């Protein structure tokens, strides 16, 4: 093999190294080979629900402005559900401060760290004992029936928090707003 032929062979191998993955990826997409069909979320996607601000609720308060929200509907006494979601919130560990809890309805005082709101009217999409995960902007992301395992909700919530990391300086912004007062320096 001559020197020129060897150089051409090297050049063709170099092109193949970059062209082969593109061809394989195209084939996977075109013929649906090797692409997983399973879903990753345990809950139901909720794109048709309105944002939290449009829900017919009394005043809703979150712990932090950028917090995700676990909202659960308690039509009657639901101490067991409230305790279940409180334990799930604690299971988040260091990420727990990025999530707030909202109990909608039910009697009595909410558990520590949870806010309480009441339905002013019952929307057609409401389902008793339902749990929703809402993003920091109030958009419903996932919904769960009462029978869902808390571990499944925890998996989904951890995945959402991991895929939507907190901005690096967010903790310092919150601390400075508490210590320094408002923007006018008062």
């Amino acid at each position: 093999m001559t020197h020129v032929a060897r150089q051409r062979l090297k050049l063709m191998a170099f092109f193949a190294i970059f062209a082969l993955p593109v061809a394989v990826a195209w084939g996977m997409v075109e013929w649906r080979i090797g692409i997983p069909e399973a879903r990753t979320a345990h809950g139901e996607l909720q794109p048709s629900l309105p944002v939290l601000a449009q829900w017919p609720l009394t005043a809703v308060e979150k712990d932090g402005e950028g917090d995700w929200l676990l909202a659960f509907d308690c039509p009657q006494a639901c101490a067991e559900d409230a305790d279940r979601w409180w334990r799930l919130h604690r299971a988040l560990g260091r990420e727990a401060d990025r999530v707030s809890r909202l109990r909608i309805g039910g009697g009595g005082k909410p558990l520590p760290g949870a806010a309480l709101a009441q339905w002013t009217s019952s929307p057609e999409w409401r389902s008793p004992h339902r749990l929703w995960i809402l993003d920091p902007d109030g958009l419903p992301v996932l919904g769960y029936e009462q029978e869902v395992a808390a571990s499944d909700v925890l998996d989904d919530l951890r995945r959402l928090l991991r895929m939507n990391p907190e901005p690096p300086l967010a903790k310092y912004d919150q601390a400075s707003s508490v210590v320094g007062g408002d923007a006018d320096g008062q």
Side-chain angles (χ1 to χ4, degrees), residues 63 70-72 74 78-93 95-97 99-103 109-115 131 150 153-154 157:
D63 288 340
L70 280 176
F72 58 100
C74 288
C78 60
E80 186 176 313
D81 282 343
D83 182 59
R84 180 176 166 200
W85 304 131
W86 178 83
R87 290 176 187 279
L88 176 131
H89 192 194
R90 295 296 109 211
L92 288 170
E95 295 288 340
D97 63 336
V99 178
S100 296
R101 283 178 291 116
L102 173 67
R103 187 182 82 194
K109 295 175 65 175
L111 290 175
L131 172 75
V153 178
L154 183 62
L157 192 53

Side-chain angles (χ1 to χ4, degrees), residues 52 55-58 60 69-76 78 101-107 110 115-121 123 125-126 128-130 132 134:
L52 180 64
W55 288 18
L57 296 173
T58 58
V60 175
L69 186 66
L70 280 176
F72 58 100
D73 189 358
C74 288
Q76 302 297 322
C78 60
R101 283 178 291 116
L102 173 67
R103 187 182 82 194
I104 304 171
L116 179 62
Q118 300 292 334
W119 292 107
T120 56
S121 65
W125 47 263
R126 179 184 175 205
H129 298 286
R130 189 151 180 89
W132 296 277
L134 292 94

